[in-house]
Amino acid sequence: MEQSRRLLWLIALLCFGAVGAALVSQHVFDMPPCAWCVFQRLLYLVIGVLALLGANIRALTRLCATLGLLLSAGGIAAAWYQYDVAAHMFSCDMTFADQFMSASGLDGAAPWLFGIYASCMDAMVEILGVEYALWSLALFAILLVMNLIAMLRRD
């Protein structure tokens, strides 16, 4: 298998693993998510699906990596906004993430995955001394680099 496609498989694994970790945090360790948390879950899922498509359909490899790169950049922006702005607000109501998730209907269709159960201030949690949003930002940055490599490789 070509290296770009292997990289896309790894991207998918990281994305779905991140969502799995978020669900464990929510349902096992009682860490309710905010609007920006669930918005980032959606980005991880879309990047993961794109990565699977690109890994399995050779003609789509470069396109899927490019879209994954763009969504990863959006994820970096979302995680930074959550960390720097939303975490200091009493409510995430009417922010982009809240409006998008509500308008999409995903919060009602799959509340166990996309339900918004906390304000961003309440959802601010540290793991190993680092805020959850910064862990997410770091993963989005890694995904961005991986997608860039997959996009530029000439296998």
Side-chain angles (χ1 to χ4, degrees), residues 65-81:
T66 302
L67 293 173
L69 181 143
L70 294 172
L71 288 170
S72 296
I76 290 170
W80 182 255
Y81 183 86

Side-chain angles (χ1 to χ4, degrees), residues 36 39-40 74-89 91-98 120 133-134 137:
W36 286 98
F39 180 70
Q40 289 171 67
I76 290 170
W80 182 255
Y81 183 86
Q82 178 184 355
Y83 169 76
D84 193 48
V85 178
H88 305 289
M89 299 168 64
S91 173
C92 301
D93 275 357
M94 306 317 287
T95 63
F96 172 78
D98 181 62
C120 294
L134 291 179
L137 188 148

Side-chain angles (χ1 to χ4, degrees), residues 20 32-33 45 57 60 65 89 95 101 103-104 111 118 121 128 133 141:
L45 290 173
I57 303 172
L60 296 178
M89 299 168 64
T95 63
M101 295 309 296
S104 71
M121 187 179 279
L128 300 175

